[in-house]
């Protein structure tokens, strides 16, 4: 399985965990809620869905609206197929959510993982965020070293592009620092119980500590459709 197809399977399972959908709805959600999939097509989605069905993680069902089936029959078309997550599919998705290895720190995979942070355990979120920050700090160090070596040979425009890339990575590192501190604050927060003792907050899916900007919106998406992380793609040096 390629990394790209693995990310797509993860995102499809995550969206279908919310509710059953047909292919058009899935493609729309992937395009609008998860920007990393804006360029993909039905030719990519349907093979992915067939693989997930073959693995027993999804089942296909006919569309629930009778008028849809009648309209499709009159037009000589097949009724829309709705895809539903199975119990095995939910278990598999939850297993994927618990992964915190290096793949989850990469640009596209991190964006997909972040979109489903609202369904992810707090400790897992922390490991993914810290891993992502570490990866970007390594990238930033390499970019600075490369710029120091080549500065004299670069024209003004190329130099400005290099600086822009570095600023993009620096901005995401600052954003990650805020998220990590907020997660730590949420983890350490205690709720007073009826007997006056302190209780640990529930760590599953809790996002109460996200930093907020002046417009009142949180910086990070805790579910598909919320703000996406800063795009580090502006860097020009790996």
């Amino acid at each position: 399985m390629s990394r790209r197809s693995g990310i797509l399977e993860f995102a499809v399972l995550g969206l279908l965990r919310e509710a059953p959908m047909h292919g058009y709805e899935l493609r729309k959600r992937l395009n609008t809620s998860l920007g990393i999939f804006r360029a993909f097509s039905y030719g990519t989605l349907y093979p992915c869905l067939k693989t997930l069905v073959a693995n027993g993680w999804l089942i296909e069902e006919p569309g629930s609206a009778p008028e849809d089936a009648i309209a499709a029959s009159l037009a000589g078309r097949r009724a829309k197929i709705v895809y539903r997550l199975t119990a095995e599919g939910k278990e598999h998705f939850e297993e994927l959510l618990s992964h915190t290895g290096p793949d989850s720190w990469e640009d596209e995979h991190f964006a997909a993982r972040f979109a489903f942070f609202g369904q992810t355990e707090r400790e897992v979120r922390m490991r993914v965020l810290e891993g992502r920050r570490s990866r970007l700090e390594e990238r930033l160090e390499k970019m600075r070293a490369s710029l120091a070596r080549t500065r004299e040979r670069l024209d003004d425009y190329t130099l400005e592009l290099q600086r822009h890339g570095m600023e993009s990575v620096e901005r995401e590192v600052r954003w990650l620092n805020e998220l990590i501190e907020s997660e730590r604050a949420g983890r350490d927060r205690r709720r007073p119980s009826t007997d006056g003792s302190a209780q640990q907050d529930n760590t599953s899916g809790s996002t109460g500590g996200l930093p907020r900007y002046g417009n009142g919106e949180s910086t990070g998406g805790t579910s598909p459709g919320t703000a996406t992380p800063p795009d580090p793609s502006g860097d020009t040096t790996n």
Side-chain angles (χ1 to χ4, degrees):
M1 180 194 307
S2 69
R3 177 178 297 178
R4 180 75 172 181
S5 63
I7 298 171
L8 179 58
E9 290 185 6
F10 172 83
V12 167
L13 292 172
L15 290 174
L16 291 176
R17 189 184 184 188
E18 298 176 356
M21 301 181 204
H22 54 70
Y24 175 78
E25 291 174 312
L26 269 172
R27 185 172 185 268
K28 184 177 180 181
R29 289 292 303 279
L30 288 164
N31 279 336
T32 59
S33 301
L34 301 176
I36 61 174
F37 296 108
R38 288 194 183 101
F40 93 110
S41 66
Y42 284 112
T44 304
L45 176 60
Y46 282 105
C48 172
L49 291 170
K50 290 184 180 298
T51 298
L52 295 176
V53 170
N55 287 339
W57 298 329
L58 302 181
I59 56 174
E60 296 176 326
E61 299 176 339
S64 57
E67 58 271 20
D68 290 346
I70 294 172
S73 177
L74 292 175
R77 297 183 284 104
R78 291 176 56 192
K80 290 180 179 178
I81 299 297
V82 172
Y83 295 90
R84 182 185 298 274
L85 196 65
T86 64
E88 293 80 4
K90 181 178 180 181
E91 182 179 346
H92 179 62
F93 179 68
E94 290 173 350
E95 180 183 346
L96 293 176
L97 278 179
S98 69
H99 291 176
T100 59
D103 279 354
S104 66
W105 311 339
E106 301 299 337
D107 295 349
E108 289 187 342
H109 207 153
F110 173 76
R113 286 297 303 270
F114 191 86
F116 295 100
F117 261 21
Q119 303 178 42
T120 305
E121 294 286 341
R122 190 189 302 274
E123 294 304 316
V124 174
R125 294 198 302 262
M126 281 288 290
R127 290 196 293 270
V128 173
L129 290 171
E130 289 172 344
R132 173 66 174 173
R133 180 176 63 180
S134 175
R135 178 58 48 84
L136 289 183
E137 286 173 342
E138 292 174 2
R139 183 183 300 177
L140 194 57
E141 184 177 348
K142 291 178 181 178
M143 293 172 70
R144 287 169 175 161
S146 175
L147 184 60
R149 290 194 307 269
T150 60
R151 181 187 299 271
E152 299 302 324
R153 300 196 300 271
L154 299 177
D155 62 65
D156 290 344
Y157 295 102
T158 304
L159 184 60
E160 192 61 31
L161 185 62
Q162 294 278 349
R163 288 173 176 165
H164 173 69
M166 288 176 56
E167 289 172 0
S168 298
V169 179
E170 289 169 345
R171 183 166 58 249
E172 184 171 352
V173 170
R174 290 194 298 270
W175 175 74
L176 289 167
N177 285 334
E178 292 178 1
L179 288 175
I180 290 168
E181 288 306 312
S182 296
E183 290 287 352
R184 286 174 178 161
R187 181 186 61 192
D188 296 337
R189 189 182 301 126
R190 299 291 189 274
R191 294 196 306 260
S193 65
T194 54
D195 62 2
S197 61
Q199 292 182 346
Q200 181 70 38
D201 282 350
N202 181 7
T203 62
S204 178
S206 174
T207 58
L210 285 178
R212 292 183 175 274
Y213 283 19
N215 61 5
E217 295 182 354
S218 64
T219 60
T222 58
S223 64
T226 56
T228 54
D231 183 3
S233 59
D235 76 71
T236 56
T237 305
N238 292 327

